[in-house]
Amino acid sequence: MGLIHPLSTSAEGIIQLKLSELSKTYYPKMVMANNEAAAVATYHEFLKKAEEIGLAQLEAAWTTKYADFK
């Protein structure tokens, strides 16, 4: 999977960087949540923000690149 990372200067590379930073913010919030419901709510908030950043575009690029390695 390490071979399918987009160039850091491409649109997908920038999305990947932003998602990495987002996960660094939200992962501790999920782990340290007071209860399961709070962790799940935080996870859904993370997913919403990830979609806003461009997760679908990055996934499409990964899928295309992965198909080239099959």
Side-chain angles (χ1 to χ4, degrees), residues 12-60:
E12 290 81 12
I14 294 168
I15 291 169
Q16 184 172 348
L17 177 62
K18 288 179 180 180
L19 290 173
S20 177
E21 292 301 314
L22 186 69
S23 69
K24 288 177 188 176
T25 300
Y26 274 85
Y27 183 75
K29 290 180 182 181
M30 288 183 272
V31 171
M32 300 303 290
N34 291 333
N35 54 49
E36 182 179 355
V40 170
T42 302
Y43 175 71
H44 288 293
E45 184 179 328
F46 167 77
L47 286 180
K48 182 178 183 220
K49 289 187 182 278
E51 288 296 334
E52 291 170 1
I53 289 172
L55 179 60
Q57 181 180 345
L58 181 59
E59 288 176 338

Side-chain angles (χ1 to χ4, degrees), residues 56-68:
Q57 181 180 345
L58 181 59
E59 288 176 338
W62 280 338
T63 300
T64 300
K65 203 68 153 148
Y66 179 74
D68 293 343

